[in-house]
Amino acid sequence: MDNFHYHQRTFFQIAGHFFLYWRHIAGHIFTLQASNIARVTQGAKYGVTHYEILAVMDSRTSEICRSMHGRIIPAKHLERQAQALLNAKNMAEKKNASIWQSKAYNGRSDKMPSNFGLPPYHFRCRTEAVPVWIDEQSVKQDEGFDGFANNESVKMRNTSPLRDDEVVKHIDKMGVERVLDSKAANGYHGLRDRLKNDKGLKKDIVKALNSITTIAPHKEKSNQLNAMSANGYFLTFDGNRIITAFKPTKGLKQYFKNFSITLEQEIIKRWWIK
């Protein structure tokens, strides 16, 4: 066999492997998208009002999926996007109906572009949209949300009751269901001692989630997000997990500035949904 035919055969063998690889990747993406579209269109028949975005949280989780994890999106938004995808007559229209992005989305759930929200968000995306029903959970006095003589009622809005390993689960001002789990509550950020000594801290955390004013990426930890609230709290999130929450002793705004990328900050003026 001469060199030309040898290299020709080698080329087509390699090209064939790449074709199979990309066909597998494309097949996965279209299958995931079709699954999410089917779930949303079927949900419309049963009166689903909201969907929660659930990402696989591990070392391979992308920046965009990490920021979308736990986000509550009105069903009407995803239904319109799903319909636009179903009505697309060619690949260009399909791409326009569902943009991909790699950078985190840190805005409100009701401020997303009309062609963004329904997964997948990128190649090899593992994120899904699942139907949820929002409810309010009353908290008993012995759980520390109420004071002693002058108690104050605080309720959490969430998609399911607290599990045994969850301390707080509440949909914040941006539309993300934030969770303070036992691991973070007993971690090295000092939350364990603050929760033990301050019986009103969990109540204040819910209030802080209700009154987030500014949010920005953490300056030193790329996977984390910082927020400051109207009631004076500094909070750090990893996806939808609450990593820490406290009142800085030397000024909230300066502390936030010291540890946040303020050039990428988002100002949260009002609630994501009425």
PDB file of all heavy atoms in Angstrom, residues 14-44:
ATOM      1  N   ILE A  14      -9.611   7.871  11.873  1.00  0.00           N
ATOM      2  CA  ILE A  14      -9.637   8.876  12.946  1.00  0.00           C
ATOM      3  C   ILE A  14     -10.892   9.730  12.846  1.00  0.00           C
ATOM      4  O   ILE A  14     -11.572   9.998  13.849  1.00  0.00           O
ATOM      5  CB  ILE A  14      -8.374   9.767  12.880  1.00  0.00           C
ATOM      6  CG1 ILE A  14      -7.126   8.916  13.162  1.00  0.00           C
ATOM      7  CG2 ILE A  14      -8.470  10.920  13.880  1.00  0.00           C
ATOM      8  CD1 ILE A  14      -5.825   9.649  12.933  1.00  0.00           C
ATOM      9  N   ALA A  15     -11.220  10.163  11.612  1.00  0.00           N
ATOM     10  CA  ALA A  15     -12.415  10.974  11.419  1.00  0.00           C
ATOM     11  C   ALA A  15     -13.667  10.231  11.850  1.00  0.00           C
ATOM     12  O   ALA A  15     -14.588  10.815  12.428  1.00  0.00           O
ATOM     13  CB  ALA A  15     -12.526  11.395   9.958  1.00  0.00           C
ATOM     14  N   GLY A  16     -13.692   8.932  11.594  1.00  0.00           N
ATOM     15  CA  GLY A  16     -14.837   8.124  11.997  1.00  0.00           C
ATOM     16  C   GLY A  16     -15.005   8.099  13.497  1.00  0.00           C
ATOM     17  O   GLY A  16     -16.132   8.195  14.008  1.00  0.00           O
ATOM     18  N   HIS A  17     -13.896   7.996  14.237  1.00  0.00           N
ATOM     19  CA  HIS A  17     -13.956   8.017  15.699  1.00  0.00           C
ATOM     20  C   HIS A  17     -14.482   9.356  16.198  1.00  0.00           C
ATOM     21  O   HIS A  17     -15.312   9.416  17.114  1.00  0.00           O
ATOM     22  CB  HIS A  17     -12.577   7.737  16.295  1.00  0.00           C
ATOM     23  CG  HIS A  17     -12.137   6.315  16.147  1.00  0.00           C
ATOM     24  ND1 HIS A  17     -12.916   5.261  16.553  1.00  0.00           N
ATOM     25  CD2 HIS A  17     -10.997   5.782  15.615  1.00  0.00           C
ATOM     26  CE1 HIS A  17     -12.282   4.113  16.304  1.00  0.00           C
ATOM     27  NE2 HIS A  17     -11.119   4.422  15.731  1.00  0.00           N
ATOM     28  N   PHE A  18     -13.994  10.453  15.591  1.00  0.00           N
ATOM     29  CA  PHE A  18     -14.474  11.775  15.993  1.00  0.00           C
ATOM     30  C   PHE A  18     -15.952  11.933  15.679  1.00  0.00           C
ATOM     31  O   PHE A  18     -16.706  12.511  16.466  1.00  0.00           O
ATOM     32  CB  PHE A  18     -13.667  12.872  15.279  1.00  0.00           C
ATOM     33  CG  PHE A  18     -12.418  13.249  15.999  1.00  0.00           C
ATOM     34  CD1 PHE A  18     -11.175  12.850  15.529  1.00  0.00           C
ATOM     35  CD2 PHE A  18     -12.470  14.006  17.163  1.00  0.00           C
ATOM     36  CE1 PHE A  18     -10.023  13.195  16.206  1.00  0.00           C
ATOM     37  CE2 PHE A  18     -11.319  14.360  17.851  1.00  0.00           C
ATOM     38  CZ  PHE A  18     -10.090  13.944  17.367  1.00  0.00           C
ATOM     39  N   PHE A  19     -16.391  11.424  14.535  1.00  0.00           N
ATOM     40  CA  PHE A  19     -17.803  11.520  14.167  1.00  0.00           C
ATOM     41  C   PHE A  19     -18.677  10.794  15.184  1.00  0.00           C
ATOM     42  O   PHE A  19     -19.699  11.319  15.636  1.00  0.00           O
ATOM     43  CB  PHE A  19     -18.016  10.926  12.771  1.00  0.00           C
ATOM     44  CG  PHE A  19     -19.467  10.820  12.392  1.00  0.00           C
ATOM     45  CD1 PHE A  19     -20.186  11.938  11.995  1.00  0.00           C
ATOM     46  CD2 PHE A  19     -20.126   9.603  12.457  1.00  0.00           C
ATOM     47  CE1 PHE A  19     -21.519  11.848  11.662  1.00  0.00           C
ATOM     48  CE2 PHE A  19     -21.464   9.503  12.128  1.00  0.00           C
ATOM     49  CZ  PHE A  19     -22.163  10.624  11.724  1.00  0.00           C
ATOM     50  N   LEU A  20     -18.263   9.593  15.569  1.00  0.00           N
ATOM     51  CA  LEU A  20     -19.038   8.833  16.558  1.00  0.00           C
ATOM     52  C   LEU A  20     -19.063   9.552  17.896  1.00  0.00           C
ATOM     53  O   LEU A  20     -20.077   9.566  18.594  1.00  0.00           O
ATOM     54  CB  LEU A  20     -18.439   7.435  16.712  1.00  0.00           C
ATOM     55  CG  LEU A  20     -18.613   6.494  15.524  1.00  0.00           C
ATOM     56  CD1 LEU A  20     -17.828   5.202  15.738  1.00  0.00           C
ATOM     57  CD2 LEU A  20     -20.092   6.183  15.296  1.00  0.00           C
ATOM     58  N   TYR A  21     -17.914  10.144  18.260  1.00  0.00           N
ATOM     59  CA  TYR A  21     -17.838  10.866  19.525  1.00  0.00           C
ATOM     60  C   TYR A  21     -18.804  12.038  19.536  1.00  0.00           C
ATOM     61  O   TYR A  21     -19.611  12.204  20.452  1.00  0.00           O
ATOM     62  CB  TYR A  21     -16.405  11.362  19.751  1.00  0.00           C
ATOM     63  CG  TYR A  21     -16.268  12.319  20.907  1.00  0.00           C
ATOM     64  CD1 TYR A  21     -16.269  11.860  22.218  1.00  0.00           C
ATOM     65  CD2 TYR A  21     -16.137  13.690  20.684  1.00  0.00           C
ATOM     66  CE1 TYR A  21     -16.146  12.739  23.291  1.00  0.00           C
ATOM     67  CE2 TYR A  21     -16.011  14.568  21.741  1.00  0.00           C
ATOM     68  CZ  TYR A  21     -16.016  14.084  23.041  1.00  0.00           C
ATOM     69  OH  TYR A  21     -15.900  14.972  24.081  1.00  0.00           O
ATOM     70  N   TRP A  22     -18.741  12.881  18.504  1.00  0.00           N
ATOM     71  CA  TRP A  22     -19.603  14.059  18.458  1.00  0.00           C
ATOM     72  C   TRP A  22     -21.067  13.700  18.267  1.00  0.00           C
ATOM     73  O   TRP A  22     -21.948  14.387  18.757  1.00  0.00           O
ATOM     74  CB  TRP A  22     -19.138  15.024  17.360  1.00  0.00           C
ATOM     75  CG  TRP A  22     -17.876  15.727  17.736  1.00  0.00           C
ATOM     76  CD1 TRP A  22     -16.650  15.587  17.192  1.00  0.00           C
ATOM     77  CD2 TRP A  22     -17.721  16.673  18.803  1.00  0.00           C
ATOM     78  NE1 TRP A  22     -15.737  16.375  17.839  1.00  0.00           N
ATOM     79  CE2 TRP A  22     -16.359  17.058  18.818  1.00  0.00           C
ATOM     80  CE3 TRP A  22     -18.603  17.231  19.738  1.00  0.00           C
ATOM     81  CZ2 TRP A  22     -15.873  17.970  19.736  1.00  0.00           C
ATOM     82  CZ3 TRP A  22     -18.107  18.138  20.650  1.00  0.00           C
ATOM     83  CH2 TRP A  22     -16.757  18.506  20.638  1.00  0.00           C
ATOM     84  N   ARG A  23     -21.320  12.586  17.567  1.00  0.00           N
ATOM     85  CA  ARG A  23     -22.700  12.141  17.435  1.00  0.00           C
ATOM     86  C   ARG A  23     -23.253  11.732  18.790  1.00  0.00           C
ATOM     87  O   ARG A  23     -24.409  12.008  19.120  1.00  0.00           O
ATOM     88  CB  ARG A  23     -22.803  10.976  16.442  1.00  0.00           C
ATOM     89  CG  ARG A  23     -24.247  10.577  16.145  1.00  0.00           C
ATOM     90  CD  ARG A  23     -24.324   9.533  15.059  1.00  0.00           C
ATOM     91  NE  ARG A  23     -23.762   8.268  15.509  1.00  0.00           N
ATOM     92  CZ  ARG A  23     -23.762   7.158  14.766  1.00  0.00           C
ATOM     93  NH1 ARG A  23     -24.258   7.176  13.539  1.00  0.00           N
ATOM     94  NH2 ARG A  23     -23.238   6.044  15.230  1.00  0.00           N
ATOM     95  N   HIS A  24     -22.397  11.101  19.613  1.00  0.00           N
ATOM     96  CA  HIS A  24     -22.810  10.721  20.961  1.00  0.00           C
ATOM     97  C   HIS A  24     -23.097  11.966  21.804  1.00  0.00           C
ATOM     98  O   HIS A  24     -24.114  12.034  22.506  1.00  0.00           O
ATOM     99  CB  HIS A  24     -21.718   9.893  21.629  1.00  0.00           C
ATOM    100  CG  HIS A  24     -21.937   9.674  23.097  1.00  0.00           C
ATOM    101  ND1 HIS A  24     -22.889   8.810  23.575  1.00  0.00           N
ATOM    102  CD2 HIS A  24     -21.335  10.229  24.182  1.00  0.00           C
ATOM    103  CE1 HIS A  24     -22.872   8.829  24.894  1.00  0.00           C
ATOM    104  NE2 HIS A  24     -21.938   9.679  25.285  1.00  0.00           N
ATOM    105  N   ILE A  25     -22.214  12.967  21.721  1.00  0.00           N
ATOM    106  CA  ILE A  25     -22.402  14.202  22.483  1.00  0.00           C
ATOM    107  C   ILE A  25     -23.678  14.918  22.043  1.00  0.00           C
ATOM    108  O   ILE A  25     -24.501  15.337  22.864  1.00  0.00           O
ATOM    109  CB  ILE A  25     -21.189  15.144  22.303  1.00  0.00           C
ATOM    110  CG1 ILE A  25     -19.930  14.506  22.905  1.00  0.00           C
ATOM    111  CG2 ILE A  25     -21.455  16.495  22.951  1.00  0.00           C
ATOM    112  CD1 ILE A  25     -20.001  14.282  24.393  1.00  0.00           C
ATOM    113  N   ALA A  26     -23.849  15.061  20.730  1.00  0.00           N
ATOM    114  CA  ALA A  26     -25.038  15.733  20.212  1.00  0.00           C
ATOM    115  C   ALA A  26     -26.301  14.979  20.600  1.00  0.00           C
ATOM    116  O   ALA A  26     -27.313  15.582  20.964  1.00  0.00           O
ATOM    117  CB  ALA A  26     -24.937  15.869  18.697  1.00  0.00           C
ATOM    118  N   GLY A  27     -26.217  13.666  20.530  1.00  0.00           N
ATOM    119  CA  GLY A  27     -27.376  12.855  20.909  1.00  0.00           C
ATOM    120  C   GLY A  27     -27.763  13.070  22.354  1.00  0.00           C
ATOM    121  O   GLY A  27     -28.951  13.171  22.686  1.00  0.00           O
ATOM    122  N   HIS A  28     -26.765  13.171  23.232  1.00  0.00           N
ATOM    123  CA  HIS A  28     -27.036  13.402  24.653  1.00  0.00           C
ATOM    124  C   HIS A  28     -27.715  14.762  24.858  1.00  0.00           C
ATOM    125  O   HIS A  28     -28.686  14.879  25.602  1.00  0.00           O
ATOM    126  CB  HIS A  28     -25.731  13.359  25.446  1.00  0.00           C
ATOM    127  CG  HIS A  28     -25.838  13.955  26.816  1.00  0.00           C
ATOM    128  ND1 HIS A  28     -26.464  13.324  27.849  1.00  0.00           N
ATOM    129  CD2 HIS A  28     -25.427  15.168  27.296  1.00  0.00           C
ATOM    130  CE1 HIS A  28     -26.435  14.097  28.923  1.00  0.00           C
ATOM    131  NE2 HIS A  28     -25.805  15.217  28.620  1.00  0.00           N
ATOM    132  N   ILE A  29     -27.195  15.797  24.175  1.00  0.00           N
ATOM    133  CA  ILE A  29     -27.743  17.140  24.321  1.00  0.00           C
ATOM    134  C   ILE A  29     -29.193  17.198  23.856  1.00  0.00           C
ATOM    135  O   ILE A  29     -30.063  17.728  24.553  1.00  0.00           O
ATOM    136  CB  ILE A  29     -26.888  18.160  23.537  1.00  0.00           C
ATOM    137  CG1 ILE A  29     -25.504  18.308  24.188  1.00  0.00           C
ATOM    138  CG2 ILE A  29     -27.580  19.516  23.472  1.00  0.00           C
ATOM    139  CD1 ILE A  29     -25.523  18.806  25.613  1.00  0.00           C
ATOM    140  N   PHE A  30     -29.461  16.648  22.676  1.00  0.00           N
ATOM    141  CA  PHE A  30     -30.831  16.694  22.152  1.00  0.00           C
ATOM    142  C   PHE A  30     -31.778  15.853  22.995  1.00  0.00           C
ATOM    143  O   PHE A  30     -32.946  16.204  23.166  1.00  0.00           O
ATOM    144  CB  PHE A  30     -30.853  16.242  20.695  1.00  0.00           C
ATOM    145  CG  PHE A  30     -30.286  17.256  19.746  1.00  0.00           C
ATOM    146  CD1 PHE A  30     -29.233  16.939  18.903  1.00  0.00           C
ATOM    147  CD2 PHE A  30     -30.804  18.542  19.700  1.00  0.00           C
ATOM    148  CE1 PHE A  30     -28.704  17.880  18.037  1.00  0.00           C
ATOM    149  CE2 PHE A  30     -30.280  19.497  18.842  1.00  0.00           C
ATOM    150  CZ  PHE A  30     -29.226  19.161  18.008  1.00  0.00           C
ATOM    151  N   THR A  31     -31.277  14.745  23.537  1.00  0.00           N
ATOM    152  CA  THR A  31     -32.115  13.906  24.403  1.00  0.00           C
ATOM    153  C   THR A  31     -32.479  14.654  25.681  1.00  0.00           C
ATOM    154  O   THR A  31     -33.632  14.644  26.120  1.00  0.00           O
ATOM    155  CB  THR A  31     -31.393  12.598  24.762  1.00  0.00           C
ATOM    156  OG1 THR A  31     -31.146  11.861  23.561  1.00  0.00           O
ATOM    157  CG2 THR A  31     -32.238  11.744  25.695  1.00  0.00           C
ATOM    158  N   LEU A  32     -31.484  15.341  26.276  1.00  0.00           N
ATOM    159  CA  LEU A  32     -31.734  16.110  27.498  1.00  0.00           C
ATOM    160  C   LEU A  32     -32.699  17.251  27.221  1.00  0.00           C
ATOM    161  O   LEU A  32     -33.624  17.494  28.001  1.00  0.00           O
ATOM    162  CB  LEU A  32     -30.417  16.647  28.056  1.00  0.00           C
ATOM    163  CG  LEU A  32     -30.513  17.512  29.324  1.00  0.00           C
ATOM    164  CD1 LEU A  32     -31.118  16.711  30.468  1.00  0.00           C
ATOM    165  CD2 LEU A  32     -29.141  18.038  29.728  1.00  0.00           C
ATOM    166  N   GLN A  33     -32.499  17.940  26.113  1.00  0.00           N
ATOM    167  CA  GLN A  33     -33.386  19.043  25.774  1.00  0.00           C
ATOM    168  C   GLN A  33     -34.808  18.552  25.514  1.00  0.00           C
ATOM    169  O   GLN A  33     -35.782  19.134  25.994  1.00  0.00           O
ATOM    170  CB  GLN A  33     -32.866  19.789  24.541  1.00  0.00           C
ATOM    171  CG  GLN A  33     -33.647  21.062  24.240  1.00  0.00           C
ATOM    172  CD  GLN A  33     -33.054  21.833  23.088  1.00  0.00           C
ATOM    173  OE1 GLN A  33     -33.204  21.432  21.928  1.00  0.00           O
ATOM    174  NE2 GLN A  33     -32.365  22.927  23.396  1.00  0.00           N
ATOM    175  N   ALA A  34     -34.923  17.447  24.775  1.00  0.00           N
ATOM    176  CA  ALA A  34     -36.242  16.879  24.483  1.00  0.00           C
ATOM    177  C   ALA A  34     -36.938  16.446  25.769  1.00  0.00           C
ATOM    178  O   ALA A  34     -38.154  16.625  25.925  1.00  0.00           O
ATOM    179  CB  ALA A  34     -36.107  15.705  23.527  1.00  0.00           C
ATOM    180  N   SER A  35     -36.167  15.901  26.705  1.00  0.00           N
ATOM    181  CA  SER A  35     -36.731  15.469  27.981  1.00  0.00           C
ATOM    182  C   SER A  35     -37.270  16.652  28.766  1.00  0.00           C
ATOM    183  O   SER A  35     -38.370  16.592  29.334  1.00  0.00           O
ATOM    184  CB  SER A  35     -35.663  14.739  28.798  1.00  0.00           C
ATOM    185  OG  SER A  35     -36.143  14.404  30.081  1.00  0.00           O
ATOM    186  N   ASN A  36     -36.516  17.746  28.801  1.00  0.00           N
ATOM    187  CA  ASN A  36     -36.961  18.941  29.522  1.00  0.00           C
ATOM    188  C   ASN A  36     -38.162  19.596  28.849  1.00  0.00           C
ATOM    189  O   ASN A  36     -39.079  20.066  29.520  1.00  0.00           O
ATOM    190  CB  ASN A  36     -35.807  19.937  29.643  1.00  0.00           C
ATOM    191  CG  ASN A  36     -34.816  19.559  30.731  1.00  0.00           C
ATOM    192  OD1 ASN A  36     -35.194  19.312  31.865  1.00  0.00           O
ATOM    193  ND2 ASN A  36     -33.538  19.502  30.385  1.00  0.00           N
ATOM    194  N   ILE A  37     -38.169  19.610  27.508  1.00  0.00           N
ATOM    195  CA  ILE A  37     -39.316  20.168  26.780  1.00  0.00           C
ATOM    196  C   ILE A  37     -40.565  19.350  27.063  1.00  0.00           C
ATOM    197  O   ILE A  37     -41.642  19.900  27.335  1.00  0.00           O
ATOM    198  CB  ILE A  37     -39.031  20.206  25.261  1.00  0.00           C
ATOM    199  CG1 ILE A  37     -37.974  21.265  24.948  1.00  0.00           C
ATOM    200  CG2 ILE A  37     -40.316  20.506  24.478  1.00  0.00           C
ATOM    201  CD1 ILE A  37     -37.525  21.270  23.495  1.00  0.00           C
ATOM    202  N   ALA A  38     -40.429  18.023  27.019  1.00  0.00           N
ATOM    203  CA  ALA A  38     -41.578  17.150  27.264  1.00  0.00           C
ATOM    204  C   ALA A  38     -42.114  17.339  28.678  1.00  0.00           C
ATOM    205  O   ALA A  38     -43.332  17.357  28.899  1.00  0.00           O
ATOM    206  CB  ALA A  38     -41.178  15.692  27.040  1.00  0.00           C
ATOM    207  N   ARG A  39     -41.206  17.492  29.641  1.00  0.00           N
ATOM    208  CA  ARG A  39     -41.623  17.669  31.032  1.00  0.00           C
ATOM    209  C   ARG A  39     -42.402  18.979  31.207  1.00  0.00           C
ATOM    210  O   ARG A  39     -43.408  19.019  31.913  1.00  0.00           O
ATOM    211  CB  ARG A  39     -40.387  17.653  31.928  1.00  0.00           C
ATOM    212  CG  ARG A  39     -40.697  17.570  33.423  1.00  0.00           C
ATOM    213  CD  ARG A  39     -39.428  17.436  34.227  1.00  0.00           C
ATOM    214  NE  ARG A  39     -38.739  16.187  33.949  1.00  0.00           N
ATOM    215  CZ  ARG A  39     -37.466  16.116  33.563  1.00  0.00           C
ATOM    216  NH1 ARG A  39     -36.757  17.213  33.416  1.00  0.00           N
ATOM    217  NH2 ARG A  39     -36.908  14.937  33.338  1.00  0.00           N
ATOM    218  N   VAL A  40     -41.925  20.044  30.548  1.00  0.00           N
ATOM    219  CA  VAL A  40     -42.587  21.341  30.670  1.00  0.00           C
ATOM    220  C   VAL A  40     -43.939  21.350  29.964  1.00  0.00           C
ATOM    221  O   VAL A  40     -44.928  21.862  30.502  1.00  0.00           O
ATOM    222  CB  VAL A  40     -41.669  22.459  30.114  1.00  0.00           C
ATOM    223  CG1 VAL A  40     -42.420  23.773  29.985  1.00  0.00           C
ATOM    224  CG2 VAL A  40     -40.450  22.642  31.027  1.00  0.00           C
ATOM    225  N   THR A  41     -44.003  20.807  28.760  1.00  0.00           N
ATOM    226  CA  THR A  41     -45.276  20.798  28.027  1.00  0.00           C
ATOM    227  C   THR A  41     -46.301  19.907  28.722  1.00  0.00           C
ATOM    228  O   THR A  41     -47.495  20.224  28.749  1.00  0.00           O
ATOM    229  CB  THR A  41     -45.066  20.327  26.578  1.00  0.00           C
ATOM    230  OG1 THR A  41     -44.375  19.064  26.574  1.00  0.00           O
ATOM    231  CG2 THR A  41     -44.239  21.331  25.796  1.00  0.00           C
ATOM    232  N   GLN A  42     -45.844  18.803  29.291  1.00  0.00           N
ATOM    233  CA  GLN A  42     -46.755  17.937  30.030  1.00  0.00           C
ATOM    234  C   GLN A  42     -47.204  18.612  31.326  1.00  0.00           C
ATOM    235  O   GLN A  42     -48.365  18.508  31.728  1.00  0.00           O
ATOM    236  CB  GLN A  42     -46.068  16.601  30.349  1.00  0.00           C
ATOM    237  CG  GLN A  42     -46.984  15.523  30.907  1.00  0.00           C
ATOM    238  CD  GLN A  42     -47.984  15.007  29.887  1.00  0.00           C
ATOM    239  OE1 GLN A  42     -47.857  15.271  28.708  1.00  0.00           O
ATOM    240  NE2 GLN A  42     -48.989  14.289  30.359  1.00  0.00           N
ATOM    241  N   GLY A  43     -46.283  19.324  31.966  1.00  0.00           N
ATOM    242  CA  GLY A  43     -46.612  20.021  33.211  1.00  0.00           C
ATOM    243  C   GLY A  43     -47.684  21.072  33.015  1.00  0.00           C
ATOM    244  O   GLY A  43     -48.500  21.325  33.919  1.00  0.00           O
ATOM    245  N   ALA A  44     -47.700  21.697  31.844  1.00  0.00           N
ATOM    246  CA  ALA A  44     -48.701  22.724  31.552  1.00  0.00           C
ATOM    247  C   ALA A  44     -50.114  22.146  31.592  1.00  0.00           C
ATOM    248  O   ALA A  44     -51.073  22.834  31.946  1.00  0.00           O
ATOM    249  CB  ALA A  44     -48.422  23.348  30.195  1.00  0.00           C
TER     250      ALA A  44
END
